[in-house]
Amino acid sequence: MFEEKDYIIQISKLRDGENIYNLHLNRELFEKFDCKDAEDLSCELSMRIVKNERLIEIYFSFDGTMSLICSRCLSKVEFPIKKESVLYVKFGEDYSEPDINERIIPENENDIDLLLYIYEELRLEIPISPMHESEEDCDRKMIEILEVINDQKIEEKDDFDPRWAKLKDLK
């Protein structure tokens, strides 16, 4: 069950040095942001959080799979997720995000909300046009249906009102 509090790290509960957190990410994360690009998600996230006096380093390690819709045949295709990233949280006067992997939070802040960062890191793993590795892996029946529909659309384009043909003469 998805709970936003699982993505919030309480700074006061971190001990100096290294801290380890693990999360299981699923489809509910994408649903939270109304992302319809991913059909399913099963990913283990390991976070190694190193707390220093003025800096918190968060090392993320994603390992899992994501189900997407193939652009060629419209069936599910599994994409592996194997990614590592780092986020530096510094203490300062105001909130700011000077760099994609750096956040500055006020000195008196007690929480670090990682929900959006984790979502964005996974979102970046979704290809623009996801497809099976080879066309042989695609759903043959669906490919044939799409080809028939495409041929019909081409025929429809050829059938146009002859009255519009006079406009071509104006060129």
Side-chain angles (χ1 to χ4, degrees):
M1 183 169 171
F2 179 83
E3 293 194 34
E4 285 188 45
K5 67 179 177 86
D6 293 339
Y7 298 85
I8 296 174
I9 304 297
Q10 293 181 337
I11 298 170
S12 62
K13 290 188 178 179
L14 294 175
R15 64 181 193 276
D16 287 343
E18 191 172 295
N19 301 267
I20 304 292
Y21 286 86
N22 294 304
L23 280 174
H24 177 74
L25 308 175
N26 59 28
R27 185 170 165 243
E28 292 174 336
L29 175 65
F30 286 118
E31 289 172 353
K32 165 74 176 149
F33 291 95
D34 200 30
C35 176
K36 305 221 184 319
D37 293 333
E39 289 289 303
D40 201 6
L41 172 68
S42 178
C43 183
E44 297 301 322
L45 171 60
S46 176
M47 294 182 284
R48 186 170 61 91
I49 303 172
V50 181
K51 181 183 176 190
N52 299 312
E53 187 177 323
R54 306 279 309 149
L55 174 71
I56 296 174
E57 301 169 55
I58 307 173
Y59 298 91
F60 297 89
S61 179
F62 298 88
D63 188 15
T65 59
M66 190 181 319
S67 293
L68 306 173
I69 298 296
C70 177
S71 297
R72 197 176 334 175
C73 70
L74 305 177
S75 66
K76 282 189 180 181
V77 58
E78 296 289 321
F79 276 87
I81 301 168
K82 192 88 167 157
K83 177 179 187 161
E84 294 191 4
S85 64
V86 64
L87 175 66
Y88 299 101
V89 180
K90 297 178 181 180
F91 297 99
E93 292 183 21
D94 295 317
Y95 281 102
S96 72
E97 294 189 29
D99 185 15
I100 196 163
N101 289 346
E102 181 180 296
R103 298 223 174 115
I104 298 174
I105 62 173
E107 301 260 349
N108 59 351
E109 186 68 33
N110 189 40
D111 296 333
I112 304 170
D113 189 351
L114 299 174
L115 180 62
L116 183 60
Y117 182 84
I118 292 169
Y119 167 73
E120 288 174 345
E121 286 295 313
L122 286 172
R123 186 72 177 87
L124 288 172
E125 293 301 300
I126 299 176
I128 292 172
S129 183
M131 286 189 258
H132 289 97
E133 283 189 31
S134 68
E135 198 169 331
E136 289 81 39
D137 296 335
C138 285
D139 182 355
R140 276 291 359 79
K141 285 186 178 181
M142 184 56 78
I143 295 285
E144 291 168 7
I145 291 170
L146 291 171
E147 287 173 352
V148 168
I149 291 171
N150 192 33
D151 290 342
Q152 288 174 350
K153 286 186 178 183
I154 290 172
E155 289 173 11
E156 288 173 10
K157 285 183 182 177
D158 291 341
D159 291 340
F160 65 93
D161 192 337
R163 293 175 288 181
W164 292 104
K166 295 283 184 188
L167 290 175
K168 287 183 181 178
D169 296 338
L170 294 175
K171 280 188 179 179

